[in-house]
Amino acid sequence: MSRALILLLATLFGAFMASTARAEGPLTVVDDPSVLAALDAKGFGFADVLGVDGEDGLKTLYDEAPAYHAIVDIVASDVAALRTEMKAGGRPLYEVTDGNVGRIMDMRWLKTDAARFRLVGVINRLDRRDFAVLQGDRSCGEVRFIYRLAYSFRKNGKLLASRLPFNFNAVYSAAPDADGGCVGVAGRWTPQLDESVDAGWLTGGPLERAGLTFKQLELNAQVVRFPSGQETEFGGQAAYLMRIFGIDGADISEKPLDNTPDTARLSQDAALKARLAVYVGANLPAVDEGVYEIPDEFLARKIISWSTFGSARQANHPFTQLFQPKEFAPLDYSTLKLVRTPEALVERLDNGACQGCHQAGSTAGFHFIGLDDETTSPLNRIEVGISPHLHAEIPRRQAWLRATAEGREPNRFRPLSFAPPAAWTDAAVDYAPAEMAMPCLMPEDAARFGATWQCGGGTVCTPLATASGVHTKLAQCLLPKDSEKLFSGHPCLTGSIASNAAQPFNDRYSKSGQFAAFASDISRTAYTCRPPKIGVPGGIAYRGCDDKDRSFAAFKAGKPMPNEICGLVGGKKFDICVATNNFDQCLGGAVNRGNRPACSADHFCREDYMCQSLPPDTPGIGKVRGIGFCSPTYFIFQMRIDNHATPWVSPVRATMGAGFGAAEEE
């Protein structure tokens, strides 16, 4: 291992603790709920983005902020159009349902004073200056404020509160120094040894209002979900709406999505598509570096991204839908860093599109979710609020900030969104080995690219899913076949996806084989393969918790974190409880223990799973502070748009069939 990598691994954890009292190096993420609540109250709330003083309940904003009103109406129209399209394709959708059928967002959440958009993160994106200069923009990149939909209300004498998977990202341009450079601006993001990262330091320094100019409001929102009881092979599905809005007082505009082609329009206009191919060829080195801006005439203003197995889904590969690699065969790839073949070029372009990036290396379609505040039930909290991609990006962004603050030219290269962390110098990238269950490129896929990465920790790159019409396989760094180190949560099934280009919601997954966890029954000693129909995509190896597991006996201070932990699992009782629409009783009265993969701020869950917190009253919790367990994404209540308790009376009430769709107890 190189010295640069050793230094990276030694300091990586500190880079992600931007929420602590003192940051190590340039600050890239603010995610401390208490600091964010203070910023929210100091003029950085969602209502302030819209120019509204005072109350920020969403009914108030809908009534008093014309821009918000117009945005909600556009989103409602988008959701209605998707509903109509899916119904025509045999997939009816329901806001509240008592069956294993599709669920759709209830738009009343965006118009009730029981809900608000809570500030959950501030993201330093000064490195976006690399893109600004392409447009002649003199700004020093961007600062982003992430707002997540949350509700809190009393019903039948009880406080019900949760977040929902619906994010707005308010993007601000950062003003340059007086001399037009960015040395001072970049330097302001590094606190001195005697400075704490609190609201006062932020508002008096990098977030000083005079240095920020509103640019746009970006939307990423789950709007449709299919439960695993309906999607018994996929283990569930979800759809995410992505848009960008310009706001000018009461007026809004629908802006193009960066580097995201309008596949429907381009597929109907051969001349337009040909011009896009010419642009790609003329800008090949920029595409290889990852710093390029496709002209607006080619771009979409609305897209839907799809999970599960999002990194493999054809719908999330827009350039693959438009171009055959042979169309780029005449180009010269000999001097490029990453892209060495036409197939790699198409994958690079796919990964640079919004849906490609947000479904590869992401967590449930997001790169930033944020941490929970004290209102969230202990059984509905997440341990890690960022995606594997953002985790890997932080060292790159810090290296960029250091170089800029020191007046040096930064390394502008952008890796693929599913790449692992790397050590960065001004001219080189040295990838760390990918950890357990993290993405990798199969040898035949890796051969199409330049320098990539290897699997670490005794793992091998193993394909989990292939999709028709997609050139690159979904693969992860997994244990070798018949390994004695198998653990709960390790995938156990392979499969293939039959892509439906016109109707991605009708993609079909089929299992092709089993490669691990061959015990026939659940026990506390051997691993059995649990099927996707209980909501576990790709299947999971499973072993029940024994007394040692329950007491966290394998977790020792100063020792490496074990691969599995006795966490929380769902099951029939949990499912029925969710279905009754009684939120607090569901989370408090129907939870079982079961082994799951262990996770933390620097050890992530595989695709379609995320790191959930153990309740603070769990016996022995002191041994595992900062460690969570990997749950299927939609087992975590706040990651589902559907069947939450509501502040309004619904004409339809969910009953026993409306939960996750799990058919069996674990």
Side-chain angles (χ1 to χ4, degrees), residues 56-63 68-77 105-117 149 166 647-648:
D56 61 355
L58 297 187
K59 182 181 185 304
T60 301
L61 288 186
Y62 188 75
D63 292 342
Y68 178 72
H69 190 121
I71 288 170
V72 170
D73 289 352
I74 289 172
V75 172
S77 177
M105 181 182 180
D106 191 325
M107 293 304 298
R108 286 177 290 184
W109 282 118
L110 301 182
K111 305 176 187 178
T112 173
D113 277 338
R116 64 188 296 265
F117 282 98
L149 183 60
F166 194 110
W648 53 82

Side-chain angles (χ1 to χ4, degrees), residues 4-16 24 395 398 402:
L5 266 182
I6 293 171
L7 289 172
L8 165 72
L9 297 174
T11 60
L12 201 53
F13 183 73
F16 309 126
E24 298 291 335
Q398 288 190 321
R402 288 191 185 98

Side-chain angles (χ1 to χ4, degrees), residues 299-365:
L299 302 182
R301 282 168 167 74
K302 174 185 74 172
I303 59 101
I304 303 292
S305 74
W306 298 89
S307 71
T308 29
F309 298 121
S311 63
R313 301 285 287 273
Q314 185 188 50
N316 299 329
H317 290 253
F319 285 89
T320 291
Q321 298 172 55
L322 290 169
F323 296 103
Q324 292 296 319
K326 64 183 180 182
E327 297 178 65
F328 298 115
L331 301 178
D332 181 7
Y333 301 92
S334 62
T335 62
L336 303 183
K337 299 176 185 177
L338 178 67
V339 173
R340 296 294 176 84
T341 64
E343 292 82 4
L345 173 59
V346 175
E347 177 64 28
R348 175 61 148 171
L349 289 164
D350 282 340
N351 192 248
C354 290
Q355 63 269 57
C357 179
H358 276 268
Q359 291 291 348
S362 69
T363 296

Side-chain angles (χ1 to χ4, degrees), residues 170 177 219 227 282 298 455 475 510 520 530 564 577 592 609 631 643 662:
D177 300 332
L219 169 67
F298 305 113
C455 289
S510 58
S520 58
R530 304 297 287 142
E564 70 180 7
C577 198
N592 301 315
Y609 294 75
S631 281
N643 279 353

Side-chain angles (χ1 to χ4, degrees), residues 131 259 284-292 348 412-415:
F131 293 85
N259 294 332
L284 185 60
V287 173
D288 179 63
E289 189 173 47
V291 182
Y292 60 98
R348 175 61 148 171
R412 305 184 194 281
F413 177 75
R414 266 70 175 172

Side-chain angles (χ1 to χ4, degrees), residues 125-133 139-142 144 215-216 218 258-259 293 396 400 414:
R125 292 306 312 270
L126 299 192
D127 64 296
R128 292 280 302 172
R129 175 178 169 84
D130 295 346
F131 293 85
V133 297
S139 72
C140 290
E142 299 168 355
R144 300 180 171 191
K215 179 181 178 182
Q216 61 196 29
E218 301 177 351
D258 292 351
N259 294 332
E293 286 280 357
R396 184 194 68 77
W400 191 99
R414 266 70 175 172

Side-chain angles (χ1 to χ4, degrees), residues 289-499:
E289 189 173 47
V291 182
Y292 60 98
E293 286 280 357
I294 295 176
D296 290 357
E297 65 171 320
F298 305 113
L299 302 182
R301 282 168 167 74
K302 174 185 74 172
I303 59 101
I304 303 292
S305 74
W306 298 89
S307 71
T308 29
F309 298 121
S311 63
R313 301 285 287 273
Q314 185 188 50
N316 299 329
H317 290 253
F319 285 89
T320 291
Q321 298 172 55
L322 290 169
F323 296 103
Q324 292 296 319
K326 64 183 180 182
E327 297 178 65
F328 298 115
L331 301 178
D332 181 7
Y333 301 92
S334 62
T335 62
L336 303 183
K337 299 176 185 177
L338 178 67
V339 173
R340 296 294 176 84
T341 64
E343 292 82 4
L345 173 59
V346 175
E347 177 64 28
R348 175 61 148 171
L349 289 164
D350 282 340
N351 192 248
C354 290
Q355 63 269 57
C357 179
H358 276 268
Q359 291 291 348
S362 69
T363 296
F366 298 96
H367 290 308
F368 191 89
I369 299 159
L371 299 174
D372 295 294
D373 63 14
E374 69 283 352
T375 64
T376 303
S377 165
L379 299 176
N380 188 32
R381 292 180 185 170
I382 59 174
E383 187 68 30
V384 178
I386 64 174
S387 71
H389 166 66
L390 180 49
H391 170 266
E393 268 281 278
I394 289 174
R396 184 194 68 77
R397 296 177 190 178
Q398 288 190 321
W400 191 99
L401 288 163
R402 288 191 185 98
T404 300
E406 294 168 7
R408 296 182 286 109
E409 280 294 307
N411 187 336
R412 305 184 194 281
F413 177 75
R414 266 70 175 172
L416 296 167
S417 70
F418 51 90
W424 289 81
T425 65
D426 292 351
V429 181
D430 191 0
Y431 292 106
E435 291 198 348
M436 182 76 71
M438 290 296 99
C440 55
L441 290 166
M442 293 296 293
E444 61 270 27
D445 293 328
R448 299 167 178 163
F449 293 88
T452 54
W453 61 92
Q454 304 296 320
C455 289
T459 63
V460 294
C461 194
T462 305
L464 283 185
T466 59
S468 61
V470 177
H471 307 296
T472 304
K473 298 180 181 67
L474 166 59
Q476 295 174 358
C477 295
L478 302 177
L479 292 171
K481 188 176 181 180
D482 301 324
S483 172
E484 296 180 356
K485 297 180 180 179
L486 190 63
F487 58 92
S488 290
H490 191 282
C492 53
L493 301 173
T494 57
S496 61
I497 300 168
S499 303

